[in-house]
Amino acid sequence: MKLSPRRAENLSLVALLLGLVCFVLTLWLAKWSNSLAAQIEAWHFLGGSTIWLALFMQFRQRRLADEERLDAEAYQKLRRQGKNTSVFEGTPVEDSLHLAERRLVWLEKYLVPIFAILTAVYMLAVSVWLFGKVKADEVTALAGHGVILQSSVFLIAMGLLSFLFSRYASGMSRQDVWRPIRAGGNYLIGNAILCVVIAVGLVLADFRYSSIDRIVAYVLVVIMFVLGVEIVLNFTFDFFRPRIKGQYHRAAFESRLLGLFCEPEGLLKTAAHAMDYQFGFKVSETWFYKLLERAVVPLLAVMVIALWLVSCTVIIPPGHEGIMERWGEPINLSSPLQSGMHLKYPWPVDKVRMFAVEQIQVIEVGFERFEDEGMNRPVLWTVSHWKNEFPFVVASQRQSSMDKDTAGEGQIKGNFDLLVVALVVHYRISDVAKYGYSAELGYQDPAKLLKALCYRQAVQYAAQSDVQSLMGPGREATTQQLKVEIQSHADKYQMGVKIEFVGLESVHPPVEVAESFEKVVSALQEKQASVLGAQGEDSRIREEAAGASSVMISEAEAYSVERASLSRASAERFGSQVEAYKLAKDIYLWREYLAVLDEYMPALRKYVLASDKVGSWVYEIDLKEELQPDLFEDLGLTED
């Protein structure tokens, strides 16, 4: 039985009207629910209208060509029977009978590729425009719960209707006469899948996953761009593909990627043909292949279900605690799941959010490290040793006590400098309920908020400090004070964390002014060194003067004692001499006389000759040099 193109023509017209209706309805749903993904899908529906319009024109022309062919066959039959068919006979009349066929050839050769190019241009241009719109669009809240559910129902209904039309078109395309209609069926299966994805995304977005709709919007834009690129590639490859008369020529807008979803069994046929060619026999006719071909869909379904059921278990590693969320709502805040394996409802009903409660987490304030942590870099003021540094405003000097009366207590008067303060904060999660699910505040990113608190406290503390304190003896006091203040504000905002340590990696001026800062610091150090040197010299002179004064006083006191002792001894000696003189006048005088000679002429030899024959003193002085040493010299003997 010969199949008529009229059936495909009617299907193309109905599908064209369905695409336009879905475009209007989806655009209205997007505005009603504030869904960006639904808005993009509306333009995706409109993109299929060009394909169905081309198919409608193609099958309509085929129908006209078939009718013309029947008329030509009837005309030839009448001529063979010898009957007059018209008053106008001859070549012009016969040529007019093939006008629709020539139009069909022209349409399939030129008009169908033109529609393919229009479809590709539409997909690429609209995808680029929508990508810019999605990127620049601010995140807006979706409509109410009821609106979201109703919109999801409408989208699923449109997806189901598109799926039925797709399967119907795919079934018709198995016939060679209706083969081109596969392009529209492939496009409709894409619409059906994306409608269901958007509906599921809206439902999940209604359960505290508001970012899913934006993610789906990005995915839709990428899909439209990829489909546009595929059409361009198909159109380009058609120039190099050999054309055989009577063989079906695939249109450029027929997506092979979407065909994988519309007819997944085609993959098995392609694999079977490849294996037939490689092994040299009909692999596709074996019992195993036929069994696999029949059971591939159930096997895939079982695999998907098995993977889905695996989500019923969750393993919490050591040192972690888990909070189970049911449809986005935590259900065990008072008793978090401990490490081990636990059961739950499958995704997306239940989801477990894990927290590393025993792990020390680090927040870096005022700097960013290089990615290659293994490299050793010198920590010099004039050399950048961090990837990024964020200077803080610090007072260069504190106000004097005289200025406090006018400036106010706690204020700083004077110039301000920029100082790079590299601060490291170590913290640990102490309460997962407050950290991830604060009842009153509720933070989407607690770590980011805690980092912002650390930055704020560091900025405030730096503005109330001075350069000398932060770079000098005030480092330990700085870390202790910041630890107390950060912990206080974390408790105020119910962060559920415990600050374990606050340390200063480095404190230095920015690299751009480090050299000038070093000159100032060197000048200050030289000044301090000069002052300390002068103070040391002053102390040395004072100590030397004090020592000299003490020595002089001691010598004067000793001299005074000596003079008094000598005078007293002289007086006592004179009295003893008088007594000795009274007892023996001559002997005393001679003894004194000889003592004087011995004292004042110790180096001269003196000879005493006692004689009663001489009545006067005779002095003989021997001034000759002694030629021979004394016999008893160097023997340690003393002369008596």
Side-chain angles (χ1 to χ4, degrees):
M1 183 180 66
K2 186 176 180 180
L3 300 176
S4 173
R6 181 178 293 275
R7 187 175 176 183
E9 178 186 353
N10 295 334
L11 177 64
S12 301
L13 181 60
V14 174
L16 174 61
L17 297 177
L18 175 65
L20 295 176
V21 172
C22 290
F23 164 71
V24 176
L25 183 59
T26 310
L27 200 62
W28 173 76
L29 287 176
K31 186 176 181 181
W32 187 35
S33 61
N34 292 333
S35 173
L36 195 58
Q39 182 181 356
I40 297 174
E41 179 58 23
W43 295 104
H44 185 219
F45 266 114
L46 185 62
S49 301
T50 56
I51 298 177
W52 287 112
L53 179 60
L55 293 175
F56 170 73
M57 295 175 63
Q58 183 180 5
F59 283 108
R60 183 177 183 278
Q61 195 62 35
R62 284 189 177 187
R63 178 178 60 81
L64 295 177
D66 287 346
E67 293 176 355
E68 184 183 63
R69 191 178 302 108
L70 293 175
D71 292 340
E73 291 177 355
Y75 175 77
Q76 294 296 334
K77 183 177 179 181
L78 291 175
R79 289 193 60 183
R80 286 193 299 268
Q81 293 176 358
K83 298 180 179 180
N84 295 330
T85 58
S86 175
V87 295
F88 303 100
E89 295 182 358
T91 304
V93 176
E94 294 177 357
D95 292 341
S96 64
L97 296 177
H98 301 283
L99 182 60
E101 186 174 356
R102 289 197 299 270
R103 289 178 179 175
L104 176 62
V105 173
W106 180 86
L107 185 145
E108 292 182 346
K109 186 176 181 180
Y110 297 105
L111 192 60
V112 172
I114 290 175
F115 271 93
I117 291 299
L118 292 177
T119 304
V121 171
Y122 172 83
M123 300 293 284
L124 294 176
V126 172
S127 62
V128 173
W129 170 61
L130 291 176
F131 179 79
K133 187 175 181 180
V134 173
K135 188 176 181 180
D137 189 23
E138 298 181 356
V139 179
T140 56
L142 297 176
H145 179 72
V147 175
I148 295 298
L149 292 181
Q150 294 178 24
S151 301
S152 302
V153 172
F154 280 118
L155 286 171
I156 292 177
M158 285 189 291
L160 179 61
L161 188 62
S162 301
F163 176 76
L164 294 177
F165 265 87
S166 172
R167 295 305 300 170
Y168 184 74
S170 299
M172 290 180 59
S173 66
R174 297 180 187 274
Q175 305 295 329
D176 293 337
V177 179
W178 298 326
R179 183 70 180 275
I181 208 170
R182 179 180 296 177
N186 293 346
Y187 198 91
L188 277 178
I189 194 67
N191 291 127
I193 294 174
L194 294 179
C195 282
V196 175
V197 171
I198 296 172
V200 174
L202 288 177
V203 174
L204 294 178
D206 195 36
F207 289 98
R208 297 181 59 182
Y209 296 98
S210 57
S211 60
I212 290 183
D213 184 73
R214 193 176 188 87
I215 295 174
V216 173
Y218 275 112
V219 173
L220 292 178
V221 170
V222 173
I223 290 175
M224 291 183 64
F225 185 82
V226 171
L227 293 178
V229 172
E230 183 189 8
I231 295 175
V232 173
L233 293 177
N234 291 338
F235 181 81
T236 304
F237 293 153
D238 280 342
F239 289 102
F240 306 95
R241 185 179 293 112
R243 301 177 184 270
I244 302 175
K245 187 176 180 180
Q247 186 178 4
Y248 171 71
H249 179 66
R250 189 192 297 261
F253 49 66
E254 183 177 340
S255 175
R256 291 162 175 80
L257 297 177
L258 295 176
L260 298 177
F261 298 96
C262 190
E263 293 183 353
E265 62 273 9
L267 291 176
L268 291 177
K269 293 181 179 180
T270 303
H273 291 317
M275 288 188 293
D276 291 346
Y277 177 78
Q278 292 294 330
F279 292 102
F281 66 94
K282 294 292 185 179
V283 179
S284 58
E285 295 181 359
T286 60
W287 67 270
F288 178 76
Y289 174 79
K290 293 180 179 180
L291 176 63
L292 184 63
E293 185 177 9
R294 291 194 302 268
V296 62
V297 176
L299 286 176
L300 291 177
V302 171
M303 291 175 58
V304 172
I305 294 174
L307 290 176
W308 181 64
L309 292 178
V310 169
S311 63
C312 293
T313 61
V314 61
I315 298 177
I316 300 178
H320 289 67
E321 292 183 357
I323 299 297
M324 186 176 297
E325 299 177 354
R326 182 161 298 166
W327 298 113
E329 187 71 22
I331 61 175
N332 61 330
L333 291 178
S334 58
S335 57
L337 301 178
Q338 303 301 317
S339 60
M341 187 174 69
H342 303 272
L343 297 177
K344 65 181 185 66
Y345 289 119
W347 183 89
V349 179
D350 283 355
K351 178 183 176 183
V352 176
R353 186 180 177 188
M354 301 182 188
F355 299 90
V357 295
E358 296 184 5
Q359 179 182 354
I360 298 296
Q361 304 187 45
V362 182
I363 294 178
E364 297 174 347
V365 179
F367 71 102
E368 291 182 3
R369 298 184 187 273
F370 285 99
E371 296 179 358
D372 49 348
E373 291 290 341
M375 295 183 61
N376 295 323
R377 290 181 173 84
V379 183
L380 303 176
W381 287 5
T382 56
V383 178
S384 178
H385 47 278
W386 305 118
K387 181 180 180 181
N388 289 316
E389 297 178 343
F390 310 105
F392 292 92
V393 176
V394 183
S396 60
Q397 60 181 1
R398 287 190 175 275
Q399 64 179 359
S400 62
S401 59
M402 185 179 299
D403 298 328
K404 288 185 178 181
D405 298 336
T406 58
E409 186 67 25
Q411 297 182 2
I412 300 175
K413 182 178 180 181
N415 298 325
F416 290 88
D417 292 331
L418 293 178
L419 202 63
V420 176
V421 181
L423 193 68
V424 177
V425 180
H426 293 183
Y427 72 95
R428 182 173 53 83
I429 301 175
S430 59
D431 191 340
V432 294
K434 292 182 178 179
Y435 184 77
Y437 307 91
S438 178
E440 298 179 359
L441 304 176
Y443 310 117
Q444 293 185 353
D445 194 346
K448 187 176 181 180
L449 175 60
L450 183 59
K451 186 174 183 178
L453 288 177
C454 294
Y455 263 97
R456 187 179 71 175
Q457 294 307 122
V459 170
Q460 291 181 355
Y461 187 87
Q464 298 175 1
S465 304
D466 54 31
V467 175
Q468 291 79 8
S469 175
L470 287 177
M471 298 184 64
R475 293 169 65 98
E476 183 178 359
T478 298
T479 57
Q480 297 298 327
Q481 184 66 23
L482 284 175
K483 180 180 178 181
V484 174
E485 292 180 358
I486 294 174
Q487 183 67 66
S488 175
H489 282 77
D491 296 339
K492 176 182 177 182
Y493 287 95
Q494 301 180 11
M495 295 293 299
V497 297
K498 180 181 180 183
I499 307 300
E500 300 288 349
F501 171 77
V502 176
L504 288 173
E505 286 275 348
S506 63
V507 181
H508 60 85
V511 177
E512 296 79 9
V513 298
E515 186 175 355
S516 301
F517 197 93
E518 284 183 345
K519 293 180 180 179
V520 175
V521 174
S522 299
L524 293 175
Q525 294 295 328
E526 292 176 359
K527 173 185 176 181
Q528 186 68 15
S530 300
V531 171
L532 294 176
Q535 292 177 354
E537 184 68 17
D538 177 71
S539 299
R540 185 185 64 81
I541 294 175
R542 289 178 180 274
E543 292 296 331
E544 290 181 355
S549 173
S550 178
V551 169
M552 293 179 66
I553 293 174
S554 299
E555 290 179 350
E557 292 177 351
Y559 181 75
S560 172
V561 173
E562 180 184 4
R563 295 301 299 174
S565 300
L566 288 177
S567 299
R568 186 167 52 254
S570 298
E572 293 177 354
R573 180 184 176 186
F574 183 76
S576 301
Q577 289 177 344
V578 172
E579 292 295 332
Y581 179 76
K582 291 179 178 180
L583 295 175
K585 296 181 180 180
D586 294 335
I587 295 174
Y588 175 79
L589 293 175
W590 279 106
R591 183 178 178 183
E592 291 295 323
Y593 178 72
L594 294 175
V596 170
L597 293 178
D598 184 61
E599 181 181 357
Y600 290 100
M601 292 183 296
L604 297 179
R605 293 190 177 190
K606 296 172 285 291
Y607 301 94
V608 179
L609 300 177
S611 176
D612 53 357
K613 300 295 184 179
V614 181
S616 61
W617 295 93
V618 180
Y619 297 95
E620 294 183 3
I621 302 174
D622 188 3
L623 299 176
K624 294 185 296 182
E625 183 180 357
E626 185 177 4
L627 298 181
Q628 296 181 353
D630 192 0
L631 181 62
F632 301 101
E633 187 176 0
D634 296 332
L635 293 180
L637 301 176
T638 57
E639 296 182 0
D640 294 334

